[in-house]
Amino acid sequence: MKIIVAGGDGFCGWPTALYLSKQGFDVAIIDNLVRREYDVEMDSNSLTPIAPLEERVAKWKEVSGKNIDLYIGDLNDYDFLSQVFEAFKPEAFVHYAEQRSAPYSMIDREHAIYTQSNNVLGTLNVLYAMKAFAPDCHLIKLGTMGEYGTPNIDIEEGWIDIEHKGRKDRMLYPKKPGSFYHLTKVHDSHNIEFACRSWGIRATDLNQGVVYGINIDENDQDPILYNRFDYDGIFGTVLNRFIVQAAKGLPLSVYGKGGQTRGFINIEDTVRCIEIAALNPAERGEFRVFNQMTQYFSVQDLAEKVKKVAEEEGLEVTISHVENPRVEQEEHYFHAVSTRLEDLGLKPHQLTDDVIRRVLKLAMDNIDRLKEDKVMNSPSWK
Amino acid sequence: MKIIVAGGDGFCGWPTALYLSKQGFDVAIIDNLVRREYDVEMDSNSLTPIAPLEERVAKWKEVSGKNIDLYIGDLNDYDFLSQVFEAFKPEAFVHYAEQRSAPYSMIDREHAIYTQSNNVLGTLNVLYAMKAFAPDCHLIKLGTMGEYGTPNIDIEEGWIDIEHKGRKDRMLYPKKPGSFYHLTKVHDSHNIEFACRSWGIRATDLNQGVVYGINIDENDQDPILYNRFDYDGIFGTVLNRFIVQAAKGLPLSVYGKGGQTRGFINIEDTVRCIEIAALNPAERGEFRVFNQMTQYFSVQDLAEKVKKVAEEEGLEVTISHVENPRVEQEEHYFHAVSTRLEDLGLKPHQLTDDVIRRVLKLAMDNIDRLKEDKVMNSPSWK
């Protein structure tokens, strides 16, 4: 199957491209390399050194014998996107190519505008390109569990059966996201659902939980193939950030009360979920939503898990509660249904001590690269 | 009260500005005059001749003695918008300043991108300007009943109490709109709700039905004050378009089966609803939604109403069913709650034969200005 991984230079996209290539997919990466530019803008970095994308792809060819096509450009450049569709003729389009940090979107007006413009209009271009050049292509779009917010009822997979005043309908699940970034994913979902309904596009919207872990087996074959490791307050996701704090002897910084509960997923499952979606495409006109998460934890739970493992490794660890830069509920109900990917064959990797230990060792090996002043640089939501 | 009417040169905005001025509000108009540019782009026109905005405002001063401030510029120009906020210090901001045609947004990719960018990012700028310069200002934002689509359950006013698996929450009403334009209003609603929740913005989202009627009393005082009268397939709303077809002896063009049922409102009620919202502001942090419609009709109903009145006026009228350019349900359930504005004092004007007759006479008086080839120029949704 010919499959595009847009955003294939990023934290999820790069392992996904390698994994799909290994499984025998014919993979092309689209990327504008902007994730690396955000590092320059923020004066932050990946804790692991990361090779330029061309080197990564060349090394993959060397170790696997498999080719990955590379298209360097921006989804917001429709001429470029059209040329990629015409040249590669994708059967599936995996779309990671969005600005994916909530704090980044909340820095100021310019970053909010950039995030909404980049994500929403870029995805609109993808929909128009599919309509024009590949109407049978399957869009596999990364959304986020954060689209739902923290409702007081169970979170369903994208759609909910509502009975109201004696009548019934299957409705899109109501969304209440917590940042201008998360809002872009809600906007995308609505735009995509409309394109499915009006044009017969086939789409799978993957509402992914917070990802943890760094390298999958394919990354681990050579340092040139290593994945990026974000630990800063803007792009670092919570578990990976706690692990870096533990490795450096910094207190694990829990925002507020720490009762914020979220869905999580191991990056080894992320790549498998994409494969499952690709092998089981949505029907023409179907807008299908899977909740791509396997467990849920509170922020406090995660801090305690990291503390335990780090102490076993001989590190001294404290947990501190810091003022929450976000506007969010710190104690709330959380229950999300996430059975559809398992029904299609996902065998979840649990968050074990060994998983934490593996990331911790990677952090300790690279701790000299840490920019300590970037660990707690999240902007305030207010 | 100091009130801005953004989009004050448009079909709803201009009568609103006059009406509020008459009622004693201190009114400023923001407009970038782009509605007139769309006419040039589409080679369409208003059936009524419309005066330049500066002339309109000067004439209003002459007939009423009241001043309306004018700020010519674009909400997407944040420096401009900031200067307006600093200069005028609004207590309420009525936001009509969006591209408001569904067919226009469906012409092609460029028009979809323009509509989503213009509307969503412009509104984001308004939210940031309110946060920075007027945190107590009340946003009165025009949405559309089209945000809801045609669900099989009753449409509530923005929020719905959901009971699911034994638990309850008050959720945003699920949306399923029918064009890239309608989608922008859904995106706006989500962005605004977030700004209310995070920043304490006060906002009223007015989900307005299809507007009919042309001039209110304030417009009628002088031809220079006349409102625009859109009849084309892009910007003309359905009842006004049927009336023009009747005046010209063209068949009334019902899309498909004609069972499409929508909420409607008289433009005399539109302006009063804005006044009611302004006089009863939302609380700080409140995202309040009113369904701004007073009756509902199917497209077929409206064609028959126009036919009856036009025949009484001696015109020969036929109704034709044409292929529906839109993707929409042509037979469906429709029931929408719209009590909150009436609870605050709205006394609805019904759609009477006299209302139709008044618009019909205006159309007949100006029928020599009709560009007949523009009446049925809607693009296909597919």
Side-chain angles (χ1 to χ4, degrees), chain B residues 181-235:
Chain B
Y181 151 72
H182 289 101
L183 280 154
T184 67
K185 299 289 193 178
V186 174
H187 304 341
D188 286 340
S189 294
H190 281 100
N191 281 344
I192 296 167
E193 187 275 332
F194 172 71
C196 292
R197 177 159 38 101
S198 301
W199 299 340
I201 300 288
R202 47 174 102 224
T204 302
D205 203 8
L206 296 171
N207 285 337
Q208 186 168 240
V210 182
V211 183
Y212 62 84
I214 305 291
N215 289 320
I216 63 170
D217 290 348
E218 286 72 20
N219 296 110
D220 260 340
Q221 293 179 255
D222 190 290
I224 296 290
L225 299 176
Y226 276 11
N227 199 10
R228 57 178 305 124
F229 186 163
D230 300 312
Y231 61 84
D232 60 296
I234 308 284
F235 281 94

Side-chain angles (χ1 to χ4, degrees), chain A residues 40-109:
Chain A
V40 175
E41 179 194 0
M42 296 289 131
D43 187 28
S44 58
N45 64 349
S46 163
L47 198 66
T48 47
I50 53 172
L53 182 54
E54 289 79 358
E55 265 186 59
R56 286 175 150 185
V57 167
K59 177 59 74 178
W60 177 247
K61 174 94 182 188
E62 188 188 317
V63 305
S64 73
K66 289 173 189 294
N67 192 61
I68 292 178
D69 286 354
L70 215 51
Y71 297 95
I72 303 300
D74 195 319
L75 301 187
N76 280 288
D77 176 350
Y78 190 71
D79 289 341
F80 161 77
L81 185 61
S82 303
Q83 287 159 19
V84 176
F85 267 85
E86 292 191 295
F88 188 72
K89 303 191 190 312
E91 298 164 84
F93 188 102
V94 182
H95 183 10
Y96 287 112
E98 296 198 328
Q99 193 298 94
R100 60 101 176 146
S101 157
Y104 189 89
S105 76
M106 298 301 294
I107 291 173
D108 57 17
R109 186 190 68 86

Side-chain angles (χ1 to χ4, degrees), chain A residues 302-358:
Chain A
L302 293 178
E304 286 166 9
K305 280 178 183 291
V306 171
K307 183 174 196 291
K308 171 175 169 288
V309 174
E311 286 176 345
E312 288 168 8
E313 295 298 310
L315 297 165
E316 264 188 52
V317 180
T318 59
I319 295 173
S320 75
H321 288 256
V322 301
E323 194 185 344
N324 195 340
R326 304 189 179 205
V327 176
E328 62 186 2
Q329 290 183 283
E330 295 179 357
E331 289 170 319
H332 57 86
Y333 179 73
F334 186 89
H335 185 275
V337 173
S338 58
T339 57
R340 296 193 65 186
L341 282 159
E342 291 188 39
D343 289 346
L344 292 172
L346 177 67
K347 307 269 180 244
H349 293 76
Q350 300 297 310
L351 174 56
T352 61
D353 290 354
D354 279 347
V355 168
I356 293 173
R357 190 169 288 113
R358 184 177 168 193

